[in-house]
Amino acid sequence: MDINKRTILWIVFAVSLFVLWNNWQISNGHPSMFAPPPAQTAKAPEAKKSDVPAAAAAGSAAAVPGAGAAAAADAVPFKAERITITTDVVRADIDTQGGVIRRLELLKYKENSHPGWFGGCFGLFDWCKPGDNSKNIVLFDVDAGTGKTYLARTGLIGVPGLPNHTSGFVAKPGPRMLNDGNQVQLVLESESGGVKLTKTFTFKRGDYVVDVRHDVTNTGAAPVSPTLYLQLAHDGNKPAGDSFFNSSYTGPTLYTDEKRYEKLKFETLEKEAQEAQKTGKPMLQDHATKADNGWIAISQHFFVSAFIPQPKLMHDIVTEKIDTNVYGISVKQPLGSIAPGATVSNDAKLFSGPQEAQLLEKVSPGLELVRDYGWLAMIAKPMFWVIEHIHAVLGNWGWTIIAFTILIKLLFFPLSAAGYRSMAKVKLVTPKMQAIRERYKGDPAKMNQATMELYKQEKINPLGGCLPILVQMPVFIALYYVLQSAVEIRGAPWVGWITDLAQHDPYAILPVLYAISMYITTKLNPAPADPMQAKMMLFMPLAFSVMFFFFPSGLVLYWVVNNVLSIGQQYVISKKFGAVEPAKA
């Protein structure tokens, strides 16, 4: 049976895209489309209790700074307060109950809600209305209404009664705003269990890195060996705005020189917690947990919060189920034996901000890997490097994508030209192929043999038109990862109605242009002999256009420009070959 080769290519293209989409969904924590949904349980078993203390509510009778154990029963309940530190890039609320960063707001990044549809549909339909883009992005926060829990907290364990993230701290006086200086500090002190803990948070101008210093002083009469923990806690909910066509990974990540970059999905932590409950073993058995380097983080779309512990000091990385639907990843760093009257200092860093490549590379080795490009990272990284340099010249991300598309088209020009020449030749011999089908209608073997002889006689490679598309597929997918991960493109306008290249086209103009360009491309190609195949060829552009309604407009812009350039190239080559008389049989 003679099967149209372009139809096979379209089928392979569609199946490949479907399989890649499924694998991408799995890599982002979604269930496979080929697997049945997981069974729902009435209540998941609780994980083994962590040695990191549970949080105490503000205003509870926590340890009073400076109070001894004997006086604890008569101590006045500690009255917590929230201290707001403001710089030019962040606003942080730090609770004296535990010295916890309760809220952290990014002053230069707005909420990136969807741009709506068709101008808001005149306000008649809620799904048409654009989201609220006036509020700043908030990373650390606790909201009982939405179930959000996102915290950075530290403390001491190893000896009962040591200061931790449930203890009361006293804040030393000092400036709370950056003003004209280059940095602002907040110093918190708490003493209990014979140990005084001083936390010093240092915020710097134009910097998303917070220096977190812990000074541990032994105020007792015997040596102590405390362990410092740095913990990031997050709920297991999907982020707001997450959808099937605009999904992203949110969850714990970690890095060590030995094991490199790892992602730990909330679903995985839940399973490990259930297993830990059954076996009594700690969680995170299958991951590198001991190192003197690296970092831990909570990654989310475009942003990340990461604790970078003091380097060259051995520590354990552990995960735990803190509460129902709340999970934590922690660094536990032993501080050694501290003699009476002695002080040990520990310097860590907390980065909480955008996933800008240049920023991440300066903070810690490997932190730039949170910009997850998937399995095409080797293509996506140099691709973004080129895009970034083009943008430095043009200054507009939309025109940058267009210029990059032209550059890619020029790079693949010889390959594309060869493919279009092959398709043009196939179009010229289509009448002969139709005659062969009519002549050998009842004999598929002879039909295929005669067709191959015709290809050989006319010097046609029947798969010559496939190669350009197959080569461009990894580029297309890599560019999707780049546009999906690059916070630099987030909120970037192009022209007119395109105000955010990381969001869908609010008027669906680009998807419609894509459908038109694909229709023209199909018409320029040789028509399949089978009417059903011809209809499918016309249906495929429509199907992809519908899918592109929900894709980032920057990605659709790339594909529209690529199609327009392909149409011009294909038209010129087709005209050139159309003017030549086909060879005689």
Side-chain angles (χ1 to χ4, degrees):
M1 181 184 295
D2 182 27
I3 302 177
N4 184 275
K5 299 299 187 297
R6 290 185 305 103
T7 301
I8 296 177
L9 178 60
W10 273 110
I11 294 174
V12 171
F13 179 79
V15 172
S16 300
L17 192 62
F18 182 76
V19 172
L20 288 172
W21 180 267
N22 180 67
N23 291 339
W24 181 79
Q25 288 288 97
I26 294 173
S27 71
N28 285 281
H30 298 276
S32 171
M33 289 181 282
F34 302 110
Q40 299 293 321
T41 55
K43 185 178 181 181
E46 293 297 324
K48 180 183 178 181
K49 293 298 182 182
S50 167
D51 51 356
V52 176
S60 63
V64 178
D74 299 326
V76 177
F78 178 73
K79 186 177 181 180
E81 63 173 322
R82 290 198 181 186
I83 300 173
T84 300
I85 303 296
T86 305
T87 72
D88 58 329
V89 293
V90 300
R91 182 182 295 114
D93 292 346
I94 301 176
D95 198 338
T96 57
Q97 183 79 62
V100 177
I101 301 179
R102 288 280 177 181
R103 191 175 187 275
L104 189 136
E105 181 180 349
L106 305 183
L107 303 181
K108 293 185 179 296
Y109 289 89
K110 300 293 184 180
E111 289 284 354
N112 198 23
S113 301
H114 69 89
W117 290 101
F118 309 107
C121 298
F122 307 103
L124 299 177
F125 306 102
D126 289 339
W127 59 270
C128 290
K129 298 177 182 178
D132 184 4
N133 294 317
S134 62
K135 298 179 180 178
N136 293 329
I137 282 286
V138 175
L139 296 184
F140 298 132
D141 196 15
V142 177
D143 189 338
T146 61
K148 179 179 179 179
T149 299
Y150 193 2
L151 295 170
R153 47 201 191 186
T154 67
L156 300 176
I157 54 175
V159 179
L162 296 182
N164 53 58
H165 71 264
T166 68
S167 305
F169 283 77
V170 171
K172 287 191 173 182
R176 305 307 187 206
M177 298 187 68
L178 194 64
N179 295 324
D180 296 330
N182 289 320
Q183 70 176 34
V184 58
Q185 286 187 333
L186 174 63
V187 180
L188 302 174
E189 292 183 345
S190 180
E191 183 178 348
S192 62
V195 169
K196 178 183 177 182
L197 174 61
T198 303
K199 293 186 183 184
T200 304
F201 298 91
T202 303
F203 297 80
K204 291 161 285 186
R205 180 179 297 278
D207 201 344
Y208 294 96
V209 175
V210 182
D211 293 333
V212 185
R213 180 183 178 91
H214 295 85
D215 295 301
V216 183
T217 302
N218 185 353
T219 59
V224 292
S225 299
T227 295
L228 173 70
Y229 65 86
L230 314 170
Q231 184 185 74
L232 293 168
H234 198 284
D235 61 84
N237 300 328
K238 291 293 181 184
D242 190 83
S243 65
F244 181 82
F245 290 100
N246 195 26
S247 183
S248 61
Y249 174 79
T250 298
T253 54
L254 62 96
Y255 177 90
T256 63
D257 289 345
E258 181 183 0
K259 294 292 185 177
R260 312 300 290 177
Y261 177 65
E262 294 185 69
K263 293 192 296 187
L264 306 174
K265 303 180 181 67
F266 291 126
E267 295 88 343
T268 302
L269 299 187
E270 178 63 32
K271 292 178 181 177
E272 289 185 356
Q274 294 181 23
E275 187 65 23
Q277 177 70 17
K278 295 177 183 177
T279 63
K281 297 180 180 179
M283 295 171 61
L284 200 60
Q285 290 296 297
D286 298 329
H287 306 278
T289 59
K290 189 176 288 292
D292 62 353
N293 56 77
W295 45 263
I296 60 170
I298 296 291
S299 299
Q300 67 183 71
H301 201 194
F302 295 129
F303 301 96
V304 64
S305 296
F307 263 128
I308 300 93
Q310 180 170 306
K312 299 181 180 179
L313 185 62
M314 291 301 295
H315 59 259
D316 292 321
I317 299 176
V318 297
T319 58
E320 51 212 328
K321 182 176 180 181
I322 299 173
D323 203 347
T324 303
N325 199 40
V326 178
Y327 308 89
I329 183 168
S330 309
V331 164
K332 296 182 180 180
Q333 205 162 36
L335 301 179
S337 180
I338 305 176
T343 299
V344 170
S345 299
N346 183 282
D347 293 298
K349 295 180 180 179
L350 172 64
F351 176 89
S352 192
Q355 294 181 10
E356 291 187 16
Q358 295 181 355
L359 292 180
L360 299 176
E361 291 172 355
K362 296 176 182 178
V363 175
S364 180
L367 190 56
E368 73 279 0
L369 295 176
V370 297
R371 289 169 62 110
D372 195 355
Y373 294 136
W375 58 280
L376 286 172
M378 294 186 66
I379 300 176
K381 284 185 177 180
M383 182 182 294
F384 183 75
W385 182 86
V386 173
I387 292 175
E388 208 171 20
H389 280 72
I390 295 175
H391 178 262
V393 176
L394 300 180
N396 180 288
W397 284 106
W399 296 117
T400 297
I401 292 173
I402 293 175
F404 177 77
T405 308
I406 296 173
L407 182 64
I408 290 292
K409 202 65 182 175
L410 291 174
L411 181 64
F412 290 133
F413 180 82
L415 191 62
S416 300
Y420 291 138
R421 282 195 295 267
S422 177
M423 287 191 290
K425 290 180 180 180
V426 171
K427 191 172 184 179
L428 288 177
V429 300
T430 297
K432 296 182 180 181
M433 294 174 60
Q434 185 64 36
I436 290 174
R437 293 188 183 97
E438 292 295 332
R439 184 182 306 172
Y440 301 107
K441 187 181 300 183
D443 194 339
K446 288 186 177 181
M447 183 190 299
N448 288 334
Q449 182 181 357
T451 302
M452 295 308 297
E453 288 176 358
L454 177 62
Y455 286 154
K456 185 177 181 181
Q457 178 184 348
E458 300 291 345
K459 297 180 180 180
I460 295 173
N461 180 3
L463 298 179
C466 304
L467 191 58
I469 297 179
L470 293 178
V471 171
Q472 289 185 62
M473 275 293 292
V475 176
F476 169 73
I477 298 172
L479 184 62
Y480 175 81
Y481 280 119
V482 168
L483 296 180
Q484 186 76 353
S485 305
V487 68
E488 294 86 348
I489 299 176
R490 179 184 184 274
W494 176 39
V495 293
W497 77 103
I498 300 295
T499 58
D500 188 349
L501 289 164
Q503 292 283 351
H504 65 263
D505 184 339
Y507 290 93
I509 295 175
L510 290 177
V512 170
L513 291 177
Y514 169 82
I516 295 172
S517 65
M518 283 300 297
Y519 177 80
I520 297 173
T521 301
T522 303
K523 285 299 183 181
L524 289 174
N525 288 333
D530 186 352
M532 184 59 67
Q533 293 177 356
K535 290 181 180 179
M536 188 177 72
M537 294 293 291
L538 293 175
F539 172 75
M540 291 295 289
L542 179 62
F544 280 101
S545 297
V546 172
M547 186 170 63
F548 280 174
F549 270 58
F550 306 96
F551 270 47
S553 55
L555 183 70
V556 185
L557 175 63
Y558 159 79
W559 209 243
V560 168
V561 175
N562 179 76
N563 280 1
V564 171
L565 296 175
S566 298
I567 289 171
Q569 185 179 2
Q570 191 173 357
Y571 177 77
V572 171
I573 293 175
S574 298
K575 291 289 286 184
K576 177 182 177 181
F577 279 85
V580 180
E581 289 292 330
K584 295 182 180 180

